[in-house]
Amino acid sequence: MNYRAESPQVLLDFLSYHETVKGHSQGTVDEYFLDLRSFFRYMKLRRGLVPADTEFEKISIQDIDIDFLRRVSLSEIYDYLSYLTREGHLNNASRARKVSTLRSFFKFLSTKTHLLEDNPIEGLDTPKVKKDLPRYLTLDESIQLLESVDGANQERDYCILTLFLNCGVRISELVSLNIQSIQDDTMRVLGKGNKVRILYLNEACKLAIQDWLIVRSGMTLIDEDALFVTSRRTRITRAGVHKMVKKRLTEAGLDASLYSSHKLRHTAATLMLQNGVDVRTLQEVLGHDHLNTTQIYTHIDNDDLRIAARANPLASVHKKPTERNGDL
């Protein structure tokens, strides 16, 4: 997306900050641009700076400057969110994202660049978004998936699925793995924001990697650094992994429409938590910046918690209600 040709300098500075200093992905930066472009266009319409009949998508934002932004009020922000709701462009998740973008933008102007003395939207409420529990494979389904891997590329695919299910890596982290990422029983993972974390490999992972490397060593590769490559000898892509996971799920007799590579990450997290890994350790394994992101897994039904509840010596103590005449 060529946002540089459309953006005023104040927006370019913000996007560059998130792209370079914060290390956010291009997709995230693009979303910031789209959210703020929509907001700027609405503000120009609201303030009568363009004719009322101007087509929304054709409103230029290149003249937006700090004086324009200095006059933004909290009521205008709420009007903008109401406008999006009326136009049918905003569900709860979208509202939360746009509010987050606006918060980040005005915080940048007030605390990073100090172009604004006061943050005009500091009091903006954060919408409550209902978080669905992550879908995941059971232990038996995970074993079923792994045991069904056969045919062409079986060593590679088995290794990829094993890393997803044991280490909980993101698909972006997996496709960026290099040969040098594996050192003895550790794997060096480049996560979000270019943050590196070290994961320890269990025996299943080490054996799967070992089997794949034997096959890989007999290939003449175009990308010699990539850990996982395609039949064309190039680094495997996100799309390629997604397609492979769907194919292997179907072959295992599982509903491929319900699961994805990201659901395999959820599976790893759930199985670790159900088998004694504490939530803070899980946070480190998954590479979450905030504990509350990891804590969604603590709401998943856990048989161990049920057993613990039944094991309490007071579990069978029950006081019958006193019968009282006349009471229903």
Side-chain angles (χ1 to χ4, degrees):
M1 180 178 296
N2 186 19
Y3 59 78
R4 298 186 184 281
E6 297 185 55
S7 302
Q9 189 60 49
V10 67
L11 178 53
L12 280 177
D13 292 343
F14 171 73
L15 298 176
S16 295
Y17 169 75
H18 279 276
E19 193 172 15
T20 56
V21 178
K22 301 293 284 185
H24 288 163
S25 69
Q26 188 60 53
T28 298
V29 174
D30 288 346
E31 285 184 350
Y32 283 151
F33 166 71
L34 293 173
D35 287 344
L36 291 168
R37 183 180 66 177
S38 174
F39 172 65
F40 294 156
R41 284 172 169 172
Y42 170 78
M43 290 296 294
K44 290 186 70 172
L45 269 177
R46 187 182 190 279
R47 292 179 178 179
L49 298 178
V50 294
D53 59 352
T54 304
E55 188 176 339
F56 192 79
E57 296 301 322
K58 293 184 178 180
I59 297 175
S60 171
I61 64 169
Q62 289 183 321
D63 57 345
I64 300 296
D65 57 19
I66 198 63
D67 290 331
F68 180 96
L69 297 170
R70 191 173 284 120
R71 299 195 304 274
V72 170
S73 67
L74 195 55
S75 62
E76 288 177 318
I77 300 290
Y78 284 123
D79 285 347
Y80 167 64
L81 297 177
S82 297
Y83 159 78
L84 289 175
T85 302
R86 291 194 306 272
E87 294 296 312
H89 300 316
L90 199 65
N91 55 31
N92 284 343
S94 297
R95 175 190 290 270
R97 194 196 75 196
K98 291 180 186 298
V99 167
S100 177
T101 297
L102 290 170
R103 280 185 180 280
S104 180
F105 179 62
F106 281 99
K107 183 178 180 181
F108 170 77
L109 296 178
S110 58
T111 65
K112 297 297 181 183
T113 64
H114 303 288
L115 293 173
L116 293 180
E117 293 181 5
D118 300 303
N119 186 342
I121 65 168
E122 193 167 355
L124 183 63
D125 294 328
T126 301
K128 298 293 183 181
V129 179
K130 180 182 177 182
K131 290 188 176 181
D132 295 328
L133 295 180
R135 188 183 297 276
Y136 61 95
L137 296 175
T138 65
L139 177 59
D140 287 342
E141 288 171 333
S142 301
I143 295 172
Q144 180 181 333
L145 173 60
L146 290 171
E147 290 184 343
S148 70
V149 177
D150 197 5
N153 300 312
Q154 60 179 290
E155 292 86 1
R156 183 201 67 185
D157 295 355
Y158 183 86
C159 186
I160 288 174
L161 294 173
T162 297
L163 292 181
F164 274 139
L165 290 169
N166 282 273
C167 302
V169 291
R170 300 179 177 94
I171 188 170
S172 58
E173 297 169 344
L174 183 128
V175 298
S176 67
L177 288 173
N178 292 323
I179 284 289
Q180 297 81 7
S181 302
I182 309 299
Q183 296 290 335
D184 297 324
D185 65 342
T186 64
M187 181 168 67
R188 184 177 183 272
V189 175
L190 183 63
K192 286 187 175 181
N194 291 322
K195 294 180 180 178
V196 176
R197 68 184 188 280
I198 303 297
L199 297 179
Y200 288 89
L201 300 170
N202 59 27
E203 197 64 21
C205 291
K206 288 189 289 184
L207 290 174
I209 292 172
Q210 177 181 304
D211 290 343
W212 161 238
L213 288 180
I214 292 173
V215 174
R216 183 186 177 282
S217 65
M219 303 168 67
T220 303
L221 302 177
I222 295 174
D223 189 336
E224 296 182 353
D225 290 330
L227 178 59
F228 295 111
V229 294
T230 68
S231 57
R232 295 181 178 180
R233 312 311 195 244
T234 58
R235 182 183 295 272
I236 198 167
T237 64
R238 292 167 60 108
V241 174
H242 277 306
K243 183 178 179 180
M244 180 277 289
V245 169
K246 294 290 186 182
K247 173 176 176 287
R248 294 301 185 181
L249 285 166
T250 300
E251 291 173 347
L254 300 168
D255 190 344
S257 67
L258 298 179
Y259 303 102
S260 63
S261 56
H262 199 64
K263 297 300 186 293
L264 300 186
R265 172 172 158 87
H266 291 327
T267 298
T270 303
L271 293 178
M272 280 187 271
L273 191 66
Q274 289 178 338
N275 287 273
V277 176
D278 68 86
V279 70
R280 288 198 176 275
T281 301
L282 184 59
Q283 177 189 4
E284 294 294 324
V285 171
L286 297 178
H288 288 159
D289 287 335
H290 305 290
L291 186 62
N292 61 358
T293 308
T294 315
Q295 284 176 329
I296 186 172
Y297 296 104
T298 64
H299 300 294
I300 296 172
D301 188 25
N302 190 325
D303 288 339
D304 290 340
L305 298 181
R306 292 176 180 270
I307 293 171
R310 290 197 294 266
N312 191 301
L314 296 176
S316 60
V317 176
H318 175 63
K319 182 180 183 297
K320 294 182 178 180
T322 304
E323 294 184 3
R324 289 179 291 176
N325 293 333
D327 288 348
L328 294 179

